[in-house]
Amino acid sequence: MRSRRASGAVSWLTAIAVTLATLGVATAQQVGAPKGKAAAKAKSKRREPAKRLAPNAADPIERGEADALDKAAAGMVHYRLKIKASDETSLNLVYYPAFPARLGTNAPVIMMVHEKERSSRDFEEPIAELKKQGFAEHMQSLGYAVLAVDLRGHGANVRKALAPQDWKLMVGDLQAAYQFLVDRHNRGKLNLAKLGVMGVGEGANLVAAWANTPGGGVSGEGRTSDLGAMVLVSPLADGSGFVLRQVMSSLAPRIPLLLMAGERDPISADPVRAARPIVERPAGGMKQNRVDFFDSSLHGYKLLWLEPKVTSVIPKFFEGTIKLKATTPWEPRYNLTPVQYDDIQLVRSTKDKDAPAEKAKEQEKAKNADPKPKDEPDAPAKKEAS
């Protein structure tokens, strides 16, 4: 009997505790809840999309960006860094933040992929028509964020002989590089809704294969590809197993395409001519699609470096397809496997680095110049000592 009474007392006390807790929660909600217009305003705020996704960890690049802007008043810098591919292979990337930095979530972004046996250095080499800027830096100066990729076995990566299957793995490497851009997007540094990609030579076939792979350029389940434009410079008929005509048939109706080649290029002219009807077909193709030939026999990076019109055609194409593209408001993307990056090195613009030296040189030249005799004809220049 005593046991039953004790049990009943416990049950009774438990019921009272639950009731009091419920009343307390309800009272707290009533006290803390806004009323009238304040309540409606609070409700509307809850429904607004997030303006900025707080990163899971401190941004390893952000502090470098602030330092760089302090050191280089002109403002353009880039970074060398490494990420891990899905098989743990280390990949070298070169990242150019959008300039000016205030573009933030409105900044378009371009990923650049070099050709076989070359490296991302091709996009850094000075081009005469661009006032000796590299192409990546030139696009940065036009307001784009830029990511240049060293393919595995190339550039600053561990060098090794590549097997045919390695080129298949590179499709996954491009997805890993894209995940780095997802991270930058989520930190509010660029807008993946304005993503373009440019490939050169075999790199052109590779980016086309990546774009055609299910999940290529896709940040999460249920989303479509972020790819908004693609430029293929000197693609091959069959770049390491990626057949150009087949891939173009799939991409032409979905992604704005620009194919470029020299008219007398023995490697790429014929494949691009063969793909032209597919790319520019009036039925089913994107209206921005185009194929451009240049009066040249140059191929790949040489066409980019030495054919003056190429470096003006590409920015104009990206401007019309992604930079000025009307997009939905910026929103964070799923990134279930955040990319880890390290070995970050800050690199100032070549122009910025040379400016102090050039200024000092001019000052020294003016200091050592012979004064011109007043009211007398120009004196002959002194013969310099050998």
Side-chain angles (χ1 to χ4, degrees), residues 14 17 38 214 246 320:
T14 302
Q246 293 178 0

Side-chain angles (χ1 to χ4, degrees), residues 33-46:
K35 296 180 179 181
K37 292 182 179 179
K41 189 175 181 181
K43 188 175 181 181
S44 66
K45 281 187 177 181
R46 287 197 298 270

Side-chain angles (χ1 to χ4, degrees), residues 71-78 96 99 124-134 137-138 140-141 347-360:
K71 293 176 182 177
M76 291 205 302
V77 298
H78 59 272
Y96 296 74
F99 179 79
E124 299 179 42
E125 291 295 329
I127 298 175
E129 285 71 30
L130 303 180
K131 298 180 180 179
K132 297 188 177 180
Q133 282 185 321
E137 189 176 75
H138 175 65
Q140 181 189 34
S141 72
V347 183
R348 290 177 59 185
S349 162
T350 302
K351 187 176 180 181
D352 290 340
K353 287 189 294 185
D354 292 344
E358 290 295 328
K359 187 175 180 179

Side-chain angles (χ1 to χ4, degrees), residues 5-255:
R5 287 180 181 174
S7 177
V10 171
S11 299
W12 180 69
L13 290 171
T14 302
I16 291 175
V18 170
T19 303
L20 289 173
T22 304
L23 289 172
V25 171
T27 303
Q29 289 177 341
Q30 289 176 359
V31 171
K35 296 180 179 181
K37 292 182 179 179
K41 189 175 181 181
K43 188 175 181 181
S44 66
K45 281 187 177 181
R46 287 197 298 270
R47 290 180 177 177
E48 288 180 0
K51 298 299 182 185
R52 181 74 61 88
L53 180 66
N56 294 327
D59 184 355
I61 286 182
E62 187 151 70
R63 189 168 58 251
E65 285 179 352
D67 292 344
L69 293 176
D70 289 339
K71 293 176 182 177
M76 291 205 302
V77 298
H78 59 272
Y79 300 87
R80 301 188 188 283
L81 54 99
K82 293 187 180 296
I83 63 170
K84 295 289 186 182
S86 58
D87 63 352
E88 295 300 309
T89 297
S90 181
L91 299 174
N92 181 69
L93 306 179
V94 186
Y95 172 59
Y96 296 74
F99 179 79
R102 66 176 179 270
L103 288 169
T105 57
N106 196 44
V109 54
I110 299 171
M111 185 160 72
M112 299 182 178
V113 183
H114 61 85
E115 62 189 299
K116 194 173 183 179
E117 306 302 334
R118 302 293 304 175
S119 76
S120 61
R121 292 279 185 182
D122 288 346
F123 307 119
E124 299 179 42
E125 291 295 329
I127 298 175
E129 285 71 30
L130 303 180
K131 298 180 180 179
K132 297 188 177 180
Q133 282 185 321
F135 191 66
E137 189 176 75
H138 175 65
M139 296 305 293
Q140 181 189 34
S141 72
L142 296 179
Y144 295 84
V146 178
L147 183 67
V149 181
D150 272 345
L151 298 173
R152 63 173 62 203
H154 293 75
N157 297 324
V158 175
R159 305 304 295 270
K160 65 173 186 177
L162 294 171
Q165 61 267 25
D166 287 324
W167 284 91
K168 301 288 184 182
L169 291 173
M170 290 177 191
V171 173
D173 294 348
L174 295 187
Q175 186 67 11
Y178 164 79
Q179 290 296 334
F180 168 81
L181 293 178
V182 173
D183 179 83
R184 304 314 300 164
H185 171 95
N186 285 349
R187 296 180 189 274
K189 302 300 182 181
L190 52 85
N191 192 341
L192 275 177
K194 298 183 176 186
L195 172 63
V197 62
M198 182 181 86
V200 181
E202 291 87 351
N205 294 72
L206 188 65
V207 298
W210 170 56
N212 197 43
T213 300
V218 178
S219 59
E221 187 175 352
R223 296 194 68 93
T224 56
S225 175
D226 281 319
L227 286 169
M230 183 177 299
V231 174
L232 307 181
V233 181
S234 304
L236 281 64
D238 183 3
S240 299
F242 305 127
V243 180
L244 184 66
R245 280 179 58 91
Q246 293 178 0
V247 180
M248 289 299 99
S249 296
S250 174
L251 296 181
R254 300 191 285 116
I255 301 175

